Amino acid sequence: MPKYIFVCGGVISGVGKGVATASIARILEWYGYRTTCLKIDPYVNVDAGTMNPIEHGEVFVLKDGTECDQDMGHYERFLNKELTKENYMTTGSVYLSLIQKERSLYFDGKCVEVVPHVPLEVIEKINRAQKLTKSEIVLIEIGGTVGEYQNLLFLEAVRILKQKFPRDVLLILVSYLPYQGEGMELKTKPTQYAIRTLNSAGLHPDFVLARAIKPLDQIRKEKIAFNCNLNPEDIISAPDEKLIYKIPLNFEKDKLGLKILKKLNLKPRKKKVDNKEKWAKEIEKIERLNKEVKIGIVGKYFKTGDFILSDAYISVIEAIKHASWSLGYKPKIDWLNSEEYEKDKNKLEDLKNYNGIIIPGGFGSRGVEGKILAIQYCRENKIPCLGLCYGLQLMIVEFARNVCGLKNAHTTEVNPKTKYPVIDILEEQKKLLKEKLYGGTMRLGDWECEIKKGTIAYRAYKKTNILERHRHRYEVNPRYHRILQKYGFIFSGISQKGLLVEIGELSQKNHPFFLGTQFHPEFKSKFLHPHPLFMEFIKSAIRLTSN
Ligand code: GLN
């Protein structure tokens, strides 16, 4: 019988459920258990692909092309596993499959009801993921916050499973405790309310992870325990931690792993599937690093009101960290607003303060000319520059305009009437858009790529055939391959016998590192397993550091 651990959030959204879920799975793997993580998003959207990053943060892409929540990225990075569509569901996808069943007479004339059929469909999906991954313990993160209407049916699924298998199902509440400043205490009342809200859904948490800016002391643990029928030992302090990969080790200080196993009637296994010591050593090493590498990300700012959301680039940030740490450097990452360069070209001089610049993925026209100016500056001033997806496309646009002499060359995404459409949409994509088939129809997920020997790309991968994850509709236009190559753009990664450009770079004779990828290497970078292209990029950035 597999075991199930549900994780839900209390008091605020963005409380750290994703990292908590990934951390617990990590710990259980250390105790010798095979785990997998699932994310349930309460949205009606069938997947995250149609959501704006301002609304929802980064859209993470799995190897099978599933466009999903950024927490899936945390799971992969902590577990060093590749997940698939079975690990992700939304309200929309649950209803969609349920309605498809109904239409095919699966229910044999029965009335299909919201309860119990929706929660049963959820349970079926969880079981399918468990079987497929052959996991002994399945962790399921329920998006949103307890008390909101939209995740009630998911809590109902937990109730049904817990009632049926009380010794095999746990519920963990990740809750937030506010702190109003000096002379005040961490406040427990909102968490007490969250627990009572769970109670009214027929549920009681087995553990509470107390998120706060400070550790939770014994007095307040006892207060929550007393008011909410809990054991103080089951309330785990979870103070803010900058280094997220340290969180599993922090939880272990409170013996969370053993406490969970005990409640599930499991014993820690001798044979460790993974190496906890290696993880802990790496954390120790990272905490001692003092040499710094400065990386700038030139993007459009994701501003909402007075706040800027950096979540939109989270996989890029993590990939920079993984590579820098492994090379013995602490990365200092800055957000550079490309629109500033459009207003004042003198600001481009600031780019000189960085050891490396990344032009990340993106969509639409805002900030594009500023990105192109930044690329030109990096190319002319020999600043290491890595372009990701849109980043590669704009590197090509810049090169076409300023090196090949194709005046006003552009991507047809921004200027459909450009004389030189060096980046263009494929015919098959045009058809899809005409029919308004936007959801899940980009070039998505793993695609093969052939690497050319003697290039930066080959030095990074050390092999000629790779798989990388994609998410885009536009491509380097094959009509312009010849002229781009003639002027020195090297297509070091290609697919479909050269029809599609996957990696483009300049010769290192002329530039220390100027490389762009049509895919998103950041989605494959993991803690302790940095991505080879990010390694090459950071290595060349390090050569520019003063330490
Ligand atoms: N907008 C570009 C395209 O659709 C790039 C997408 C991206 O950067 N992920 O091709």
Side-chain angles (χ1 to χ4, degrees), residues 488-499:
F489 223 105
I490 301 164
F491 297 156
S492 51
I494 52 162
S495 64
Q496 301 190 19
K497 298 199 165 67
L499 179 70

Side-chain angles (χ1 to χ4, degrees), residues 8 13 55 58 105 150 250 292 298 329 347 358 368 427 451 457 498 510 539:
C8 62
S13 63
E55 297 267 327
E58 172 187 88
L105 263 185
Q150 46 178 355
N250 291 355
E292 201 171 74
V298 177
Y329 279 73
K347 289 232 166 94
I358 291 187
V368 156
E427 271 314 307
I451 304 287
N510 305 324
K539 271 186 209 163

Side-chain angles (χ1 to χ4, degrees), residues 140-160:
I140 308 107
E141 178 192 346
I142 300 179
T145 314
V146 295
E148 58 188 23
Y149 185 75
Q150 46 178 355
N151 54 23
L152 263 182
L153 287 171
F154 301 115
L155 293 179
E156 180 64 4
V158 185
R159 192 195 61 76
I160 293 170

Side-chain angles (χ1 to χ4, degrees), residues 241-259:
E241 172 63 65
K242 253 191 146 158
L243 181 53
I244 56 170
Y245 302 100
K246 197 178 169 187
I247 291 173
L249 301 172
N250 291 355
F251 285 168
E252 276 300 77
K253 280 191 209 139
D254 258 339
K255 298 203 167 43
L256 180 61
L258 290 177
K259 288 178 188 173

